[in-house]
Amino acid sequence: MARALFISVVFWLALVMPATAGPLAGLIAAIPAIAALGSTAASLIGWGVTAALAIGASLLLAPKAQTPTPSDVSGVVKQDVPARWVHRGRRRVGGALLFAEVKAGNLHLLIANQHGRCEAFERTLLDGHEVVLDGLGLVTGIVGSGENPYPLYTIQVVTRPGTDDQTAVGELTGTFPELWTSDHRVRGTALTYIWQGYVDPENFSKVYPNRIIQVEQIGRFGQAYDPRDATTAWTQNIALLLGDYLTSADGMQIASGYINMPRLAAAADLCDEEVPIKGGSTIPRYNGGLSYSMDADPASIISRYLTAMDGRLTLLADGTVGIDAGAFSEPTVIFDDSCIIGYELRAGGDPASEANDIRAQFTFAGADYVAADADPWRDEADIAASGEAKTATLSLFEVEHHNHARRLMKLAAARALPAYQGSITTNLKGLEAWDQRFVRIRGTLYSLDHTFEVLNIALDPATMTVTLQVVSLAAAAYAFDAETEEGTAPTIPDDDDAATIGPPEGLTVTRSYRTVSSGVRAPVLEVAWDAPLRAYSTAQAQISVHGAGAWRDITLVRDANPPQAGLAESVSDGTEYDVRVRWRAPDTDWSTISTETAIGDPDAPDAPTAVAATPVGGGSVDILWLAPVSARYAGARIYGNDVDDFATADLLSDLPGAPSPNLQSHRLTGLAADTWYFWVTAVNGSGVESAEAGSGATTIT
């Protein structure tokens, strides 16, 4: 059906198009090739045949799915049916737990690092620290520390590269022959086996502070075909990695003949082009890596590749797909009043999407491939003129160098605050912009003479007009002075031993509560601290009654890796507590102690109503009030003064009580004969008072 539709459109266009329309002829020639790509691939290239035929950069404009962060792919997950992850370039990875058994006090783990081949496992990290392995995979120390916290023959790490001829892990077949045989080779999956040996109970928490070791690998993953020398090898070239995804069996499965190899070679050259970085060295222009789950939306994966190299995909006149990396080229196609039929251009950006403060996170290779914040790219002039910072945040986890991230941020800033954006409608000359990234528009409107980036092209066969979605983008957006524009990269920490790490900083303790039943609130203390740049092992947080020194551990909230928060639940209302935290493996010093009082119900109840004072003689008075009808009401306090000033009043009675709709009363005795003023406050279970409610002047006799 799809092929029939394409053929029908080709036939119809052939009837109505002028014989001399060269670009349109190429367009028609390409349509059968779209069908040959397959329906899924064709839709992802951004093509559709409706009332108008749209081509261009639709993938670049589509919303991106949530991008996996480095911590998303470096942890070890245990699921009945885990997602299969694919890594490309150099990545820091964990994986899915395939096997976990204990025998003779030793723990045996098998982790699937990725679906596909690992060219080389380069570095192994245990609990966030790179370790030294001997020829048998036994851990002999921590790199750079000169120490080995692991006793000899305690931990062994063995890997398999994910090749079709790999063998089963002998340590498993020998120990668990009834569970794991020589046929359990897990071919096509890169694996890490860990043997965590028995340790005496008194030393267990020191050797294994997290109980089960967190194992991560930094390695070179995957291969890609390079048309420049007709070889297939590991690479960090973003254009080649995208070409591999489009053609691989685990990707889009487009036949390689439909990829325009000269264009791919040119894009690969641009990605490998050395550009200067701050300090005098160079890096390739667009190199990096990418991790994705095989159940991820293919459009989002392609979009991530394109974002990392400021690239785009184009269906060319010969029916092949062109892969291009971002670079400015002086336009050869110029539109002026002789061919422009109409404008829908506005000066400035779209108010809904313009930004003058570009933020980004990237994968910082210099700090062992953890997520890091790039130096913000701010348009201080626009911030001052508009009176506000309008922030946009980029997820650039395919990018591994600060210079690379800042170049993409500069381009994003230029597109977020353009001089002009919108669309123009032209006659068929507009088709000359097909496969052109940049055009020049000259027109009487706005006295235009600007370079524009073409975002999309649509042909309306009924009117034989072409509409171009465009945004102004000058060559200056691609120019980059590393010394003045690269900004300040995140700090690379020193060797991660206890002396250089230091204790956690930024410890804060916040009073909170949880509702247990019938609206009753129980106190908790929320604890948080700053994360280090490196992914160190789990922190240890402890709590004690203030000054008692009876420390006990706090439950960690595992919404980050490592956890950066804890929750102390078994605390008493109104009691003051001390809290401290430290990093584990290696054990650092404890942080500065933070002190806070647990308050189960920090919100004041409603004030009493209908407060009245009735003298009964003999220096006595009955105080009456209506308490708020709430489960949080726990009593009342009565104050008195001989002047109408609550601030200087004395507390005369502190009364526990339960919520009731009935009028409540309490008799005060032994009062001096005088004019008195009385007030009543409501109190909740944590002793927090409401506003006062007064009775007015009362004469006591």
Side-chain angles (χ1 to χ4, degrees):
M1 180 64 184
R3 289 180 181 271
L5 174 61
F6 279 116
I7 292 171
S8 298
V9 173
V10 172
F11 177 74
W12 179 82
L13 285 174
L15 291 178
V16 300
M17 63 171 285
T20 58
L24 187 55
L27 178 62
I28 290 176
I31 291 177
I34 305 172
L37 293 177
S39 59
T40 302
S43 65
L44 286 172
I45 300 303
W47 284 79
V49 179
T50 54
L53 185 62
I55 62 176
S58 59
L59 279 176
L60 291 175
L61 303 178
K64 290 179 64 176
Q66 183 175 0
T67 303
T69 67
S71 62
D72 290 334
V73 298
S74 63
V76 175
V77 297
K78 180 181 179 181
Q79 296 174 331
D80 291 339
V81 184
R84 292 186 296 168
W85 282 88
V86 175
H87 311 290
R88 291 294 181 262
R90 181 175 280 110
R91 301 271 90 184
R92 176 175 178 166
V93 305
L97 187 62
L98 299 185
F99 184 95
E101 291 288 340
V102 175
K103 194 167 189 177
N106 303 314
L107 176 63
H108 301 257
L109 303 173
L110 186 65
I111 297 168
N113 299 115
Q114 90 142 354
H115 173 77
R117 176 173 177 165
C118 175
E119 291 301 297
F121 289 100
E122 297 178 327
R123 300 163 59 194
T124 298
L125 295 92
L126 303 182
D127 290 333
H129 303 281
E130 184 181 355
V131 295
V132 180
L133 304 178
D134 68 10
L136 297 176
L138 293 168
V139 175
T140 61
I142 293 179
V143 172
S145 72
E147 299 179 359
N148 183 16
Y150 309 109
L152 192 61
Y153 306 119
T154 300
I155 300 175
Q156 183 182 25
V157 179
V158 177
T159 60
R160 291 290 186 270
T163 56
D164 289 338
D165 61 351
Q166 71 185 17
T167 59
V169 176
E171 289 77 5
L172 287 180
T173 59
T175 308
F176 302 96
E178 70 285 1
L179 298 176
W180 205 264
T181 71
S182 59
D183 291 330
H184 289 78
R185 293 183 282 174
V186 200
R187 290 175 292 179
T189 300
L191 304 171
T192 297
Y193 161 80
I194 305 97
W195 175 71
Q196 183 174 323
Y198 172 81
V199 173
D200 293 335
E202 59 268 23
N203 293 317
F204 186 87
S205 61
K206 180 179 180 180
V207 178
Y208 302 130
N210 302 316
R211 300 184 64 83
I212 297 178
I213 285 181
Q214 174 75 19
V215 181
E216 300 166 285
Q217 297 281 12
I218 295 177
R220 304 196 307 269
F221 294 93
Q223 295 183 331
Y225 175 74
D226 189 339
R228 296 173 295 182
D229 56 10
T231 60
T232 299
W234 174 81
T235 183
Q236 292 180 287
N237 185 296
I238 298 294
L240 297 180
L241 293 176
L242 175 55
D244 175 75
Y245 179 74
L246 293 177
T247 58
S248 71
D250 295 327
M252 294 306 304
Q253 303 179 26
I254 299 173
S256 60
Y258 286 106
I259 303 298
N260 190 288
M261 292 302 171
R263 289 282 279 264
L264 176 56
D269 282 342
L270 187 61
C271 289
D272 282 341
E273 181 182 59
E274 293 292 322
V275 297
I277 62 174
K278 193 173 183 178
S281 186
T282 63
I283 61 169
R285 182 180 294 276
Y286 298 125
N287 269 209
L290 186 142
S291 297
Y292 60 88
S293 170
M294 290 192 66
D295 59 4
D297 177 19
S300 71
I301 298 171
I302 295 173
S303 179
R304 290 167 57 197
Y305 276 124
L306 293 175
T307 298
M309 64 175 180
D310 185 47
R312 61 170 58 193
L313 297 179
T314 308
L315 189 64
L316 305 178
D318 61 1
T320 61
V321 176
I323 299 174
D324 297 310
F328 183 81
S329 59
E330 189 62 35
T332 58
V333 176
I334 300 174
F335 298 115
D336 56 25
D337 290 341
S338 66
C339 60
I340 297 175
I341 298 172
Y343 298 89
E344 287 189 15
L345 290 177
R346 61 176 170 271
D350 182 353
S353 60
E354 65 181 14
N356 52 25
D357 178 27
I358 306 297
R359 307 294 178 98
Q361 279 197 313
F362 68 106
T363 300
F364 192 12
D368 288 344
Y369 299 88
V370 299
D373 293 317
D375 197 358
W377 189 283
R378 291 167 57 88
D379 187 331
E380 298 294 351
D382 189 80
I383 292 173
S386 64
E388 64 175 323
K390 292 166 281 189
T391 301
T393 302
L394 309 178
S395 294
L396 301 177
F397 295 116
E398 302 74 34
V399 172
E400 298 176 355
H401 196 281
H402 189 246
N403 175 284
H404 186 175
R406 288 277 291 179
R407 283 185 277 118
L408 294 178
M409 293 165 72
K410 181 178 181 179
L411 288 167
R415 292 176 176 122
L417 285 176
Y420 303 98
Q421 74 172 23
S423 66
I424 64 169
T425 300
T426 75
N427 57 23
L428 288 180
K429 181 178 174 62
L431 288 174
E432 294 181 10
W434 180 41
D435 191 27
Q436 297 293 313
R437 184 159 193 172
F438 300 101
V439 298
R440 182 169 292 278
I441 299 176
R442 293 173 179 159
T444 55
L445 181 67
Y446 300 127
S447 299
L448 279 177
D449 188 1
H450 285 270
T451 299
F452 284 79
E453 183 179 29
V454 179
L455 303 180
N456 197 49
I457 301 178
L459 167 68
D460 185 350
T463 61
M464 300 303 284
T465 59
V466 179
T467 299
L468 291 83
Q469 299 291 330
V470 294
V471 59
S472 58
L473 191 66
Y478 284 90
F480 192 82
D481 185 331
E483 295 302 326
T484 61
E485 295 182 297
E486 186 171 318
T488 303
T491 302
I492 299 177
D494 296 328
D495 292 338
D496 47 0
D497 54 50
T500 57
I501 296 173
E505 297 181 351
L507 175 62
T508 60
V509 182
T510 305
R511 294 183 296 192
S512 188
Y513 62 86
R514 54 187 175 89
T515 303
V516 290
S517 63
S518 303
V520 176
R521 295 174 173 180
V524 297
L525 292 177
E526 296 177 348
V527 184
W529 52 91
D530 295 342
L533 185 57
R534 291 180 185 266
Y536 296 116
S537 58
T538 303
Q540 180 183 17
Q542 293 188 334
I543 190 170
S544 168
V545 173
H546 178 57
W551 297 100
R552 55 186 172 86
D553 286 345
I554 295 173
T555 301
L556 299 182
V557 180
R558 297 184 180 274
D559 58 354
N561 183 24
Q564 296 159 223
L567 186 67
E569 296 182 285
S570 299
V571 292
S572 300
D573 206 352
T575 301
E576 193 174 31
Y577 289 92
D578 295 333
V579 176
R580 65 183 185 178
V581 65
R582 67 172 176 174
W583 298 117
R584 302 300 309 268
D587 292 345
T588 66
D589 292 334
W590 289 102
S591 66
T592 301
I593 291 174
S594 181
T595 301
E596 186 57 87
T597 300
I599 300 294
D601 193 350
D603 300 325
D606 293 335
T609 58
V611 175
T614 303
V616 294
S620 299
V621 62
D622 287 339
I623 307 297
L624 301 93
W625 70 94
L626 281 174
V629 181
S630 168
R632 294 173 46 236
Y633 174 77
R637 291 174 182 167
I638 301 174
Y639 295 84
N641 203 346
D642 57 3
V643 294
D644 190 10
D645 181 15
F646 176 74
T648 59
D650 294 322
L651 176 63
L652 302 179
S653 189
D654 191 347
L655 306 169
S660 170
N662 300 321
L663 192 67
Q664 301 189 36
S665 67
H666 178 73
R667 177 166 292 182
L668 298 173
T669 61
L671 300 176
D674 202 346
T675 298
W676 282 79
Y677 298 85
F678 298 100
W679 296 268
V680 181
T681 63
V683 182
N684 67 19
S686 296
V688 178
E689 287 184 87
S690 71
E692 73 279 3
S695 66
T698 301
T699 301
I700 303 298
T701 58

